Amino acid sequence: MTLECDYLIRSIRLFDGSGGSVRSADVAIESGHVKAVGAALSADGAKRVINADGLWLIPGLLDIHTHFDLEVELAPGLPEAVRHGTTTVVVANCSIGLAFGNQRKNSDDPIVDCFARVENVPKTVLKLVADRATWSDSGDYLKHLDSLPLGPNIVPLVPHSMLRIEAVGLKASISRDPTESELHRMEQLLEKAMDEGYAGFSTDALPFHYLANHPNEKSRIPSQYVKHRELKRLLAIVRNKDRLWQATPPKDKPLEVLQTFLLSSGRFYGKPLKLTAVAALDFASNKSLVTLSKVLSLLLNNPLVNGRLRMQALAAPFKVWADGPFTPLAEEIPVLRLLNETELEDRDARLVILRDPAYRAKFKAMWSKGKHGISLARLRRLLKREDFTISRDLADMVIESCPVAVWAGEDMASVYARLMAYREDPRQARSEEERASFMAMDKVTDDADFILHLLECFDTDLYWYTTSANRDPRVIRKLLMNPHFLPGFNDSGAHLTNMAFYDGNLRALQIAQKQDLATVSLMVRRLTDEPAQFFGIDAGRIRPGARADLVLIDPEALASYDSAAHNQLIERDVFSHRQRVNRSDGVVPLVIINGKIAWEDKAFTPEFGKAQGFGRCLRAKDHEDALHTA
């Protein structure tokens, strides 16, 4: 029988998203949907046949924690997601987003203020985004997204910080509690957005998320100032609409985390509230954080509590780059945060700080805390229960580039050791640049002085990285396979020069591939159907009638893929700025979104990112179902 279709993908190994057994099959696609799935389907009526012998066909991958709502305004195709097989992204995480437009008022610029330090995006880029965010209503934002030539599907959340700003104003939202009428206004706005189809609501309580514009540099973003009463009232709306709550917890206050997360309990509040939280990371300096994630998940998902918590796990070592003093890891330590409060371009302001004897004394005290003698801080360091998540070990800090070219690729401990050797024997210098640098370090007496000198001398020209969490592949695998966790927390679209986990989903598949195909099938489900069901959106499965968001994977290329070797810093014209990205080209031979080929043979198709018809703004599934039956 002739099967009329746009595409027939033949001879694939099908992972349909259900987690079931892999099977050989053909898949027919017509008018943006899967038309048929079966063995040896007729090719007579196919406009194009794609032979994929030996390749895997999987549903389009979901990226559940992104800040792509920024980039989508400048490059709506979101190529750094799609080239890795991601066809659906969740935006407006961590309480910040664009649902209410740029919210510029009384000289305030909330998008710039909220995103610059929290997500390490340059203010020049954020101002471009804010200039384009001309709407002022949550419904108009969805219409705006509908009008863009999207690459992947976009799933927006309602961001709590922006909701507070909309109802109270930026300055008031960080200086006082809302009045009853203002809180009622927040409830009205949130309920309206839920009725418009937003998939959920995002909040933030990480204690080191700070504003960036003067005079707010020492204030945290608005969601940080929420009281339990306000959060409880807002989450009641999310619960009643059966939508999702995305949260980042106050990591240093376990009892407060428990009290907050109990708001997801069905036992205490009538029915469970879906909660996904950041993040299940195995920090090298503080092993208690990943333990807390496991304990909270077991407790809240217990039938007696009847919660629905899914912690987000990262499928990679948590490798973070720094532009001199600028790194998201520095924000939690006051003496380092002081440098991050300066404007990126204002090197003179940082020099004043770094040359202040009082500052240097505080820095050295912080740097040496717990490293020597007998003290509680020393015990915590030995037990890997430190307050800091950033390493203060030079051996963990690797220089990628700096004005002394021979240091590239070396850890700072090696450079420091050579400095000490140079003082005994000047022939130890490996270049004239290094000799000149060592001669300028005549006042360096310890490793703290060494770091201070590098920051003072090189500032942002010192580009370095550290892997602060997820160093053990065995632990990563256990976190990814934990049924109470979800693979995610890629933070895609943020931290432009500091992180690159755009290929995070592929890394998760690679980890599963090392075991067997049954584990791959389970991981495919964890990256597609499982998060789609949890977020309440129509995605994640390959079956007749489903939207055709499909990805081909070359299993041989996946097995040999080395993400670290394909991580690079490029210039993005749309940002007029550098960005750290991944290049998994060859692992993903084909990406189809809404029945249209977006990526094929290591290149984007000509209409991708320019013409509509690829991704769309996805509303909550129950919202769309209600519209279809109305």
Side-chain angles (χ1 to χ4, degrees):
M1 185 177 73
T2 301
L3 181 67
E4 301 288 340
C5 62
D6 298 322
Y7 301 104
L8 179 64
I9 307 177
R10 306 196 70 174
S11 304
I12 48 95
R13 305 190 78 176
L14 178 63
F15 298 83
D16 63 8
S18 69
S21 300
V22 59
R23 57 192 171 108
S24 298
D26 299 340
V27 173
I29 301 168
E30 185 179 42
S31 301
H33 290 80
V34 175
K35 184 171 185 178
V37 178
L41 297 178
S42 171
D44 294 344
K47 295 176 183 176
R48 180 182 169 188
V49 176
I50 299 172
N51 290 307
D53 188 31
L55 302 182
W56 299 348
L57 186 69
I58 67 174
L61 298 164
L62 275 71
D63 195 341
I64 62 173
H65 190 109
T66 86
H67 295 279
F68 272 134
D69 36 358
L70 301 174
E71 183 175 335
V72 78
E73 298 303 320
L74 306 176
L78 300 181
E80 297 309 322
V82 172
R83 69 191 309 140
H84 304 294
T86 296
T87 63
T88 299
V89 301
V90 180
V91 302
N93 288 281
C94 302
S95 88
I96 51 180
L98 308 184
F100 304 103
N102 59 39
Q103 298 180 286
R104 285 172 169 164
K105 190 176 182 181
N106 299 326
S107 76
D108 292 331
D109 203 350
I111 290 174
V112 177
D113 218 350
C114 289
F115 275 96
R117 286 170 65 187
V118 175
E119 304 303 339
N120 297 104
V121 178
K123 290 184 178 181
T124 53
V125 177
L126 293 170
K127 287 175 180 176
L128 288 175
V129 173
D131 288 345
R132 300 190 182 196
T134 56
W135 56 91
S136 58
D137 177 84
S138 58
D140 288 341
Y141 178 49
L142 299 184
K143 294 174 184 176
H144 166 73
L145 290 174
D146 286 334
S147 74
L148 296 177
L150 298 175
N153 304 300
I154 302 289
V155 181
L157 306 175
V158 177
H160 186 201
S161 283
M162 272 48 193
L163 178 67
R164 278 188 133 226
I165 292 169
E166 191 68 12
V168 182
L170 177 58
K171 290 182 177 62
S173 70
I174 60 174
S175 60
R176 63 169 176 81
D177 294 335
T179 65
E180 178 59 31
S181 62
E182 289 168 340
L183 182 52
H184 182 59
R185 175 64 174 153
M186 276 191 267
E187 291 175 311
Q188 289 178 318
L189 290 170
L190 181 58
E191 184 157 20
K192 174 179 177 293
M194 295 294 103
D195 289 340
E196 291 162 347
Y198 281 77
F201 177 57
S202 72
T203 65
D204 180 86
L206 280 180
F208 45 83
H209 280 171
Y210 281 79
L211 295 170
N213 286 343
H214 184 73
N216 302 322
E217 305 98 322
K218 296 188 182 299
S219 297
R220 299 188 300 274
I221 60 175
S223 186
Q224 297 275 336
Y225 297 94
V226 65
K227 296 292 197 325
H228 193 75
R229 169 177 171 270
E230 174 184 335
L231 191 57
K232 179 179 177 181
R233 284 177 56 170
L234 294 174
L235 290 177
I237 295 168
V238 182
R239 173 183 283 104
N240 290 338
K241 299 293 182 180
D242 198 27
R243 303 293 164 80
L244 172 134
W245 171 27
Q246 183 273 322
T248 55
K251 72 174 186 65
D252 297 327
K253 300 177 180 178
L255 292 179
E256 187 174 329
V257 175
L258 177 60
Q259 180 192 28
T260 302
F261 281 9
L262 279 173
L263 288 169
S264 69
S265 168
R267 177 71 61 187
F268 300 141
Y269 296 101
K271 71 174 182 178
L273 169 64
K274 294 181 293 184
L275 165 61
T276 178
V278 174
L281 290 172
D282 180 32
F283 281 98
S285 62
N286 192 338
K287 296 291 185 180
S288 65
L289 295 179
V290 73
T291 301
L292 178 62
S293 296
K294 295 175 182 177
V295 170
L296 281 172
S297 298
L298 288 171
L299 175 63
L300 292 172
N301 293 322
N302 187 291
L304 293 176
V305 178
N306 193 21
R308 296 186 65 187
L309 169 63
R310 296 292 182 271
M311 298 295 299
Q312 296 176 9
L314 178 65
F318 192 53
K319 188 176 182 180
V320 181
W321 279 259
D323 300 272
F326 290 97
T327 166
L329 301 177
E331 291 281 2
E332 69 172 328
I333 303 174
V335 71
L336 297 180
R337 186 164 63 240
L338 191 62
L339 297 172
N340 281 17
E341 289 174 4
T342 63
E343 295 291 337
L344 183 65
E345 303 81 9
D346 197 350
R347 181 171 183 169
D348 289 341
R350 289 187 290 280
L351 282 176
V352 170
I353 295 170
L354 289 165
R355 291 172 178 172
D356 178 5
Y359 176 83
R360 296 177 73 89
K362 290 178 181 178
F363 184 99
K364 295 187 72 169
M366 174 277 297
W367 192 259
S368 63
K369 183 179 180 181
K371 292 183 177 181
H372 311 287
I374 300 174
S375 66
L376 179 59
R378 176 67 171 157
L379 179 62
R380 288 171 65 92
R381 183 172 175 82
L382 292 173
L383 295 175
K384 299 187 183 301
R385 295 293 188 273
E386 290 191 274
D387 295 329
F388 308 140
T389 54
I390 190 171
S391 172
R392 292 169 294 140
D393 187 339
L394 293 184
D396 293 334
M397 304 165 71
V398 181
I399 299 169
E400 178 145 321
S401 63
C402 79
V404 183
V406 294
W407 293 355
E410 280 198 283
D411 63 71
M412 292 188 190
S414 298
V415 178
Y416 180 68
R418 202 160 53 254
L419 167 66
M420 296 296 106
Y422 167 83
R423 290 178 174 176
E424 298 295 327
D425 179 4
R427 292 174 298 178
Q428 294 292 325
R430 295 190 303 171
S431 72
E432 287 304 314
E433 287 177 323
E434 183 172 77
R435 184 185 307 277
S437 290
F438 284 168
M439 289 179 65
M441 295 184 190
D442 57 301
K443 295 182 180 179
V444 169
T445 60
D446 55 28
D447 57 349
D449 281 335
F450 179 69
I451 288 291
L452 284 166
H453 179 88
L454 293 183
L455 294 177
E456 181 181 349
C457 185
F458 299 133
D459 195 58
T460 56
D461 292 333
L462 174 67
Y463 191 53
W464 58 278
Y465 66 81
T466 184
T467 302
S468 60
N470 284 17
R471 295 179 181 177
D472 187 340
R474 296 168 300 178
V475 174
I476 295 175
R477 185 189 177 280
K478 289 179 180 178
L479 295 177
L480 292 175
M481 301 306 293
N482 188 317
H484 299 304
F485 296 176
L486 280 175
F489 190 55
N490 297 321
D491 241 3
S492 304
H495 308 286
L496 293 190
T497 60
N498 304 124
M499 298 182 193
F501 303 117
Y502 299 96
D503 63 348
N505 289 330
L506 295 181
R507 298 196 210 188
L509 287 175
Q510 187 183 56
I511 290 168
Q513 185 187 29
K514 291 177 180 178
Q515 186 154 336
D516 51 39
L517 287 181
T519 307
V520 172
S521 182
L522 176 59
M523 186 63 75
V524 169
R525 180 176 67 82
R526 304 217 72 212
L527 296 168
T528 57
D529 184 62
E530 190 173 336
Q533 294 298 320
F534 199 72
F535 278 77
I537 55 173
D538 185 15
R541 290 291 292 272
I542 299 176
R543 55 191 172 197
R547 190 176 60 255
D549 296 337
L550 311 172
V551 174
L552 278 178
I553 301 289
D554 183 332
E556 292 185 5
L558 178 66
S560 62
Y561 175 55
D562 182 353
S563 178
H566 291 84
N567 191 300
Q568 56 188 272
L569 199 61
I570 66 170
E571 187 72 25
R572 285 292 299 276
D573 291 341
V574 294
F575 297 147
S576 296
H577 199 274
R578 300 179 305 165
Q579 182 181 11
R580 184 157 287 283
V581 298
N582 314 102
R583 288 291 180 264
S584 63
D585 302 356
V587 177
V588 181
L590 182 76
V591 178
I592 294 177
I593 303 175
N594 197 28
K596 299 181 68 174
I597 295 177
W599 168 267
E600 186 176 23
D601 296 331
K602 302 181 183 180
F604 292 103
T605 53
E607 64 272 23
F608 173 78
K610 301 172 185 176
Q612 289 186 290
F614 289 87
R616 63 192 183 96
C617 177
L618 292 185
R619 277 73 162 176
K621 189 176 185 300
D622 58 2
H623 173 83
E624 293 193 339
D625 289 346
L627 291 180
H628 292 156
T629 58

